[in-house]
Amino acid sequence: MLENVFFGSKKEQRVIEKIKKHIEILYGAEECFKKTIEERDKEQLYCVSDLEREADSIRREIVSMIYEGAFLPYLRSNLCRFVEIVEEAFDLLKEAASKFEYIGQGLDKEIEEDCIKIADINLKMTEMLLIAFETLFGKGDLREKTLAIRIYEKQVDEIKFDLIKKLSDKEVKNFWHGKMLSDFVDFLSRISNVIEDASDYLHIINISLR
Amino acid sequence: MNVVEIMTKKLETIEADAPIYDAIEKMIDRRIRSLLVKPKDDKDVHGVITVRDVVTKALAKNLDLNKTKVSEITSKPLVCVDKSMDIEYTINLMSKFNITRVFVNDGKEIIGIISLLDVMSAELIKRAREGHRA
């Protein structure tokens, strides 16, 4: 009964499905980006910008649908904020991809391994974010999903700590290469922070549903 | 879940003849709580030195950290699990020996380490994923 009041009508269901799709596209873009780093194939990078554009249009649809009357007014801003945070993850991924396009082959094996690990954890975090979102409007304990996301985020933090140390030990021969490499690592490792922020918003939405 | 999936592959090592101070520096710099101690020779085996060893066996006894060798406070032999084992086995082993970390071996080679925190994190993630997509 309560489910119907909050998110049971057609409008709400359409928004929920669109938000799921939005997260799934982020997953797809991250998967493609991870593969690009693994295979050192810059030609595959187009998928990130393609998927980002697709996600951007879905985000606009979601926000429009919400303000056309889906969900109770007090839930709308938090849901929109959640979608915007997911969009921020796309922005970071796109930035990381553009830096990778520049450094490409010039990535050290040791640094590349850590970057792949981070890309893999980002992927798992996004999958968990989708599971958490489904839990919010379905059955299950949201708390354990957001905890899993926080665990993943700590793992990224640990790798980032090592990575920065490795980077600081490297001699910078060319200013722009050094800057691009530093930016690449920064953007790649910030994605996990943003996904964690998104999961925090799910927690806020969950509380407001009580 | 297999131990290989959750182990930390990066093993920080130290020579058995190194002073304890070197081990402390390494643990602080790398933000880790243990170091794998390399065997002295072919007849020797790997050992482990932990923060607990440093505190209880060196600092508490006021040993000279620059003169005392790592080998003097190293715990041996290592408690290891084979790379084919699962997490449940590892949990039982940790519980049985009351230890907070085990090493993962592939034959004679040590290939990783698993801490209690790794096990807890893996179990929580597994629970969060239960009933959802793979």
Side-chain angles (χ1 to χ4, degrees), chain B residues 113-127:
Chain B
I113 183 171
I114 296 176
S115 69
L116 265 183
L117 195 66
D118 295 329
V119 172
M120 185 178 78
S121 301
E123 274 298 305
L124 289 169
I125 288 170
K126 193 176 129 192
R127 284 181 189 204

Side-chain angles (χ1 to χ4, degrees), chain A residues 43-98:
Chain A
E43 297 304 310
Q44 293 184 36
L45 274 178
Y46 68 91
C47 62
V48 175
S49 46
D50 277 1
L51 290 169
E52 196 266 340
R53 270 195 295 275
E54 192 183 335
D56 207 29
S57 102
I58 290 185
R59 177 185 60 84
R60 280 194 287 270
E61 275 182 63
I62 294 169
V63 175
S64 302
M65 283 156 76
I66 288 176
Y67 282 99
E68 274 164 16
F71 293 98
L72 294 173
Y74 80 98
L75 281 173
R76 290 176 195 162
S77 60
N78 283 339
L79 274 168
C80 286
R81 182 69 194 121
F82 172 77
V83 176
E84 278 162 13
I85 296 173
V86 174
E87 191 65 24
E88 283 169 26
F90 271 110
D91 293 341
L92 290 171
L93 188 67
K94 203 171 103 180
E95 289 290 346
S98 75

Side-chain angles (χ1 to χ4, degrees), chain A residues 24 124 127-128 130-131 134-135 144-145 147-148 151-152 157-158 161-162 165, chain B residues 5 9-10 28-31 120-122 124-125 127-130 132-134:
Chain A
E24 278 166 3
K124 288 175 179 163
E127 189 190 4
M128 192 54 75
L130 181 60
I131 291 173
E134 286 171 345
T135 304
E144 67 177 20
K145 321 297 180 208
L147 177 63
I151 291 170
Y152 281 133
D157 263 1
E158 293 282 318
F161 177 81
D162 278 351
K165 191 155 186 359
Chain B
E5 290 173 58
K9 287 178 194 158
K10 200 182 70 182
I28 288 173
D29 287 346
R30 308 278 204 277
R31 296 201 304 186
M120 185 178 78
S121 301
L124 289 169
I125 288 170
R127 284 181 189 204
R129 282 181 183 280
E130 265 166 9
H132 295 274
R133 63 200 74 201

Side-chain angles (χ1 to χ4, degrees), chain B residues 82-95:
Chain B
D82 188 81
K83 65 171 187 174
S84 62
M85 302 310 287
D86 59 21
I87 296 182
E88 281 69 29
Y89 178 82
T90 311
I91 294 173
N92 288 334
L93 202 68
M94 286 175 155
S95 170

Side-chain angles (χ1 to χ4, degrees), chain B residues 5-6 24 32 35 38 49 51-54 64 75 77 82 85 97 105 122 129 134:
Chain B
E5 290 173 58
I6 65 158
I24 294 172
I32 49 177
L35 292 168
K38 290 180 183 172
I49 177 175
V51 172
R52 176 187 284 264
D53 292 328
V54 172
D64 186 334
S75 305
D82 188 81
M85 302 310 287
F97 290 105
N105 67 291
R129 282 181 183 280

